Amino acid sequence: MNHRSQPAVVVSLPDGSSREFSRPVSVEEVAYEIGPGLGNDCVAGIVDGDLVAPEYRIESNANLRIVTPDSDEYVRVLRHSAAHVLAQAVLRRFPDAKLAIGPPTDDGFYYDFDGVELDGDDLAVIEAEMRDIVVEDYDIVREEVAPDDARERLADQPYKRELMTKIEDVGEPVSFYHQGEFEDLCAGPHVESTGEIGALSLLEIAGAYWRGDEDEAMLTRLYGTAFDREADLEEFLERREKAKERDHRKIGAEMELFSVPDHSPGCVHFHPNGMALRRELEEFVREKNAELGYEEVKTPELNHAELWKKSGHYEHFTEKGEMFVWEQNGHEYGLKPMNCANHAHIYDYDRRSYRDLPLRFSEFGTCYRNEQSGELSGMLRVRGFTQDDGHAFVRPDQIQAEIARTLAVIREMYAVFGLDVLLKLETKPDDAIGDDALWERAREALRNALDDEKLDYEVAAGEGAFYGPKIAINAKDAIGREWTIGTVQLDFVQPERLGISYIGEDNEAHRPVMIHRALLGSLERFMGVCIEHFAGNFPLWLAPEQIRVLPITDDDAEYAESVANEFDEFRVEVDNRDWTLGKKIRAGHDDHVPYMLIVGSDEAESGTISVRDRKERQHGNIELAAFRIHLEEECGEKRQQPDFLD
C-alpha cells in the first residue's frame, strides 16, 4: 500500500493560499514559484513577522509575505542599506573605527561605533561622503562564509566577533554584505545597490552602551534617515521640526507638569499642574470603566517572586533583565511588572459560578520595568508607570461581545482627544508560553471579533504578548505620528497556569478566559502623547489652569478676586503681578491658558468680564452667569478647543 508522504514545509501566504514544498525553501524560491515577476521583484520576505533576506531558508511551516519595492516594508530594507552606507563613510574618514550594530528603525536607522569622536560639524562631512557612495551606485552583494573565515575577516572588529558567537550558538548561516571596498557581517536584507537610496540625512549624535548594558563600553551612535524619494525626506524633516516644537519634555518643563530627576531615573514626579491633568484622565477612565461594568481594586507593587513564576512573568522579564527582583530573609521578591496575576488572586479569593461572569476588575496599577538607561525618554519610556489596567474574567461564549464593547468604548475615548485609531492584530511571538491550541483559539476569537464588527485592522505577526495574542490600539496624532497606547489581549494561558476556575451549569470546574485591556495604557505615556498631540494647548477640561483673571491695574485686584471666586469650581488663578496688561496676556498665551478674563473699572462697575481666548480673540461685556454655563457645557462635553468666542 502506498502512503503519500506529507510535505516538509507549508508556506502560508497573505491571500489565504499556501504552497507546499518537500524540502526547506528560500523566500526567493517561493516568490518565483508564485510567478517570475514577483521573483524578480523580491527584495525581502517577512517570515512569521521577521524581515529576512531573499536567501533566507524556510525550514518549517511558516507565514510569508514577499516584500517588493512597492511594499510598505521596502523603506525599512532601504534604511538598513543606508546604515551600511553610513558605516562605509565613517570607515573612509576613520579607518580604525570599530563597528558594532546598525539596524533600521521606524523613523530611519543608526549605527554604533567605537574609537570615533565626533561633533556636529562632522555630521555634514560624513553625510557628504554617504551621498558620494550613493552616487557611486555600488552593487550590494551577499556572501555566505564559513565561521572560521568570518572570524579571520573580523580580526580587528571585536564587537562583530562577539556577534559571531551568537550566530554560531543559534546555528544561523554566517553572511557578509559587500559594497565597493566595504563589507559587513550582516543577515540582511538589503536593496540591490547603494544607488537605490534616493534621499538620506544624518540627524544627530548620541551615546549608547554596547548591548544596552551600562557595564559595557559607551559607543558613539549616529542616527540618520533615508527614503527612496527626496519629497518623502523633506516631509519627514518638516514633521521632525514640528515634533521638536511639541517635545513633551520641553513643554512639560515650561508648564511645570512633571520632572524626572536624576535621583529617580525613569520615574516621573507629577507637579501640581501635571497632577491636575492626570486626575482628569483618571476620572475619564473611571467613567468609562463604570460603563463597562468594572469594579475598581488596588493591589500591591511588592510580591513574592513565586507569584510571577506561576504566571510566567518571572521567566519572561528576568531573562531580559527587566524585572526588579531581590532576596530577603530567604525569600525572593519582585516589583510587579504587570497587574494580571494580582487580579487573578482577587478572582480566586471566592468560589465563582458561571452566573458570576463576566467579572471585571480595574486598577490604576503601578508597575516597574528595568528599562536600560539609554532607552529612557521623559514620560514615553519609563521604569515606573501606572497602567489603567483591567481584567475581565469571562466564559468562552462571552468573549466576542466583551471585546466588541471594549473596542467601541476605546474608539469613543480616542475620538474625544482627536486621535485617529489604528488597530493591529498581534499574533504569537517567539517567546510565547502555553499550548499552541490555546493560542490558536485566542487568535481566532480576536479575529472573529474584529471581522464581525467590520473593523479595519492590520495583522502584525509575532508581536503579541508572551501569554496571548492582542489587539494593539494605535493612535495617529495631530502631525501624523503613530503611537501605541491601548490594548485588548485574550489569554487562555494564565488562567491555566494560575489554576483559576468557575463552576459551570454542569457543576464541573471550567477555566475562565482572561481579557486584559488598557483603555489609555500607561498614564505617563498617554500624558506624554497628549502633551505632544495638543502641543500644550489642552482642551478646557484637561487644562491644568483653565481660567486666568487679569486685573488691568492694582485698583482692580479686589474685583478680580471676586470674579475668581465666582468660578471656583474650575481651575482659576488671578495674575496680580506688577506687570502691564499686555505682558500678562502674553504670559497667559505662553502658559497655554484656554481663557483669560480681563477686568478693569468698566467691568467692575457693570459686574461683567471681558473674555479673551488663547486664539487671541476677545469680546467684552460678558455676563458671568452666561460664561459659567458655557464653561460647564464645554467641560461636560469634553470639547477639543475653547469655543466660547466662535
Side-chain angles (χ1 to χ4, degrees), residues 528-541:
V529 171
C530 265
I531 293 168
E532 300 206 1
H533 174 56
F534 290 115
N537 293 315
F538 299 109
L540 180 68
W541 70 279

Side-chain angles (χ1 to χ4, degrees), residues 433-470:
I433 61 173
D435 183 73
D436 286 346
L438 294 180
W439 273 86
E440 183 59 25
R441 283 180 66 193
R443 185 189 69 82
E444 279 298 302
L446 287 180
R447 186 179 63 79
N448 289 338
L450 289 165
D451 290 343
D452 286 357
E453 293 300 312
K454 295 181 171 53
L455 297 174
D456 293 330
Y457 63 94
E458 297 176 9
V459 176
E463 295 185 17
F466 70 94
Y467 49 78
K470 64 180 180 179

Side-chain angles (χ1 to χ4, degrees), residues 305-317:
E306 284 303 315
L307 175 67
W308 309 113
K309 290 177 182 177
K310 286 174 64 178
S311 68
H313 293 90
Y314 183 92
E315 181 180 357
H316 177 78
F317 285 107

Side-chain angles (χ1 to χ4, degrees), residues 48 50 427-433 462-464:
D48 290 337
D50 293 329
T427 60
K428 186 177 180 180
D430 292 337
D431 59 355
I433 61 173
E463 295 185 17

Side-chain angles (χ1 to χ4, degrees), residues 411-524:
R411 293 165 73 209
E412 289 172 9
M413 293 177 75
Y414 286 27
V416 167
F417 298 95
L419 295 165
D420 294 330
V421 176
L422 306 163
L423 302 178
K424 291 188 178 182
L425 175 57
E426 300 184 348
T427 60
K428 186 177 180 180
D430 292 337
D431 59 355
I433 61 173
D435 183 73
D436 286 346
L438 294 180
W439 273 86
E440 183 59 25
R441 283 180 66 193
R443 185 189 69 82
E444 279 298 302
L446 287 180
R447 186 179 63 79
N448 289 338
L450 289 165
D451 290 343
D452 286 357
E453 293 300 312
K454 295 181 171 53
L455 297 174
D456 293 330
Y457 63 94
E458 297 176 9
V459 176
E463 295 185 17
F466 70 94
Y467 49 78
K470 64 180 180 179
I471 300 169
I473 296 95
N474 290 10
K476 187 173 287 188
D477 71 8
I479 58 172
R481 294 171 301 177
E482 193 173 323
W483 305 89
T484 299
I485 303 177
T487 183
V488 178
Q489 304 171 4
L490 194 55
D491 181 3
F492 288 85
V493 173
Q494 284 196 73
E496 189 79 31
R497 292 178 68 106
L498 295 170
I500 62 175
S501 63
Y502 65 91
I503 302 302
E505 288 185 85
D506 57 1
N507 288 321
E508 298 291 330
H510 299 269
R511 295 283 182 229
V513 181
M514 285 179 73
I515 297 177
H516 309 242
R517 50 102 278 202
L519 304 179
L520 301 182
S522 152
L523 291 180
E524 287 78 7

Side-chain angles (χ1 to χ4, degrees), residues 521-558:
S522 152
L523 291 180
E524 287 78 7
R525 180 174 174 79
F526 190 80
M527 277 182 62
V529 171
C530 265
I531 293 168
E532 300 206 1
H533 174 56
F534 290 115
N537 293 315
F538 299 109
L540 180 68
W541 70 279
L542 273 182
E545 183 182 350
Q546 296 170 312
I547 306 166
R548 185 175 295 181
V549 185
L550 311 182
I552 296 174
T553 69
D554 291 345
D555 293 339
D556 306 312
E558 184 176 348

